[in-house]
Amino acid sequence: MSAQKPVLLSDRIAAAVSHPTRLHAMIVFWEREASPREIAAELGEPINNVTYHVNQLRDLGWIEPVAQRPARGGRVVEHFYKATRNTLLDDAELARLGPEERHVIDMTIMRSISKDIEQAIISGTFFAHEDNQLTRIPVDVDEQGWQETKEILDRALEELMKVKEAVLQRAASSGEETFPTKVEIIHFESPRPKRSADEPA
């Protein structure tokens, strides 16, 4: 029985991330409560199409209903959902996915990051704090250096999740207002610089 569990888990993960619309919806639900109508408006897609993918996530157990609110002057009821697991996919889960599924994840996250930055710059919130973080570090590494860098970023992610949980607890007890921020972490291999025609190989 234990040998079958990774296969079942892989199927569940693959079903959740195998379509860009479904994955985008999942990213939104990890971040906040939302309705299919809100997500459809963000993506510019028909609400019936988005509702189908939201229902898939619900049936897979990735999201759960949290509220129902009247819309269109009370003629319809709008359903709101949130993620049931407030975590990211770990390395073991990602390793079970195929190249195409991982590509869908990467491209969807990159589009989300681009949109996050664009919206923050347009609204002016990107520059609201003088100590906001914007760093670009080209680094040449060997295989050990790659793994060491990854471990540093993994630890940073763990610490950020602890901060998120601590803020939720403080806000719940004190009633202090919070404000949204985004932490975008990217680490990738770059193409080698092209040699000039007169540079020796």
Side-chain angles (χ1 to χ4, degrees):
M1 292 298 293
S2 59
Q4 294 179 351
K5 186 175 181 181
V7 176
L8 295 174
L9 181 59
S10 177
D11 290 345
R12 181 171 176 265
I13 296 170
V17 304
S18 60
H19 193 282
T21 298
R22 200 174 305 157
L23 180 57
H24 179 90
M26 193 66 241
I27 290 173
V28 171
F29 292 131
W30 265 318
E31 183 178 336
R32 67 180 194 273
E33 296 178 7
S35 69
R37 182 190 61 80
E38 291 177 341
I39 296 173
E42 287 185 18
L43 294 175
E45 292 190 16
I47 188 170
N48 289 344
N49 181 48
V50 174
T51 299
Y52 167 79
H53 290 292
V54 169
N55 289 340
Q56 291 287 308
L57 291 171
R58 182 200 60 205
D59 293 344
L60 287 163
W62 285 93
I63 63 174
E64 61 185 0
V66 292
Q68 296 182 11
R69 298 166 193 159
R72 299 179 187 174
R75 295 193 303 272
V76 298
V77 174
E78 193 168 355
H79 298 268
F80 289 77
Y81 301 86
K82 70 174 182 179
T84 57
R85 44 178 292 179
N86 193 23
T87 59
L88 303 176
L89 298 176
D90 61 29
D91 288 345
E93 291 171 325
L94 290 172
R96 298 185 186 113
L97 302 178
E100 292 185 4
E101 293 160 341
R102 289 196 296 270
H103 181 72
V104 169
I105 292 175
D106 290 343
M107 293 307 298
T108 303
I109 291 174
M110 289 297 295
R111 283 192 291 269
S112 295
I113 289 174
S114 177
K115 185 175 181 181
D116 290 342
I117 296 172
E118 178 185 12
Q119 290 177 337
I121 290 177
I122 291 174
S123 69
T125 59
F126 190 90
F127 309 102
H129 294 259
E130 293 183 358
D131 58 349
N132 67 338
Q133 183 71 19
L134 180 61
T135 306
R136 178 179 179 270
I137 309 176
V139 181
D140 287 342
V141 298
D142 54 14
E143 285 299 324
Q144 180 177 338
W146 174 270
Q147 290 300 320
E148 290 171 345
T149 303
K150 182 180 181 303
E151 290 169 5
I152 291 171
L153 297 176
D154 286 345
R155 290 198 300 272
L157 178 58
E158 290 177 6
E159 293 300 314
L160 287 166
M161 298 307 290
K162 291 178 183 178
V163 169
K164 180 177 181 179
E165 183 60 31
V167 169
L168 290 174
Q169 292 179 4
R170 288 198 301 270
S173 61
S174 69
E176 181 180 354
E177 185 178 0
T178 63
F179 55 92
T181 71
K182 293 289 196 313
V183 179
E184 324 268 36
I185 300 176
I186 307 175
H187 180 220
F188 55 93
E189 182 175 348
S190 299
R192 294 183 180 277
K194 293 183 179 180
R195 296 179 181 274
S196 61
D198 56 352
E199 186 177 354

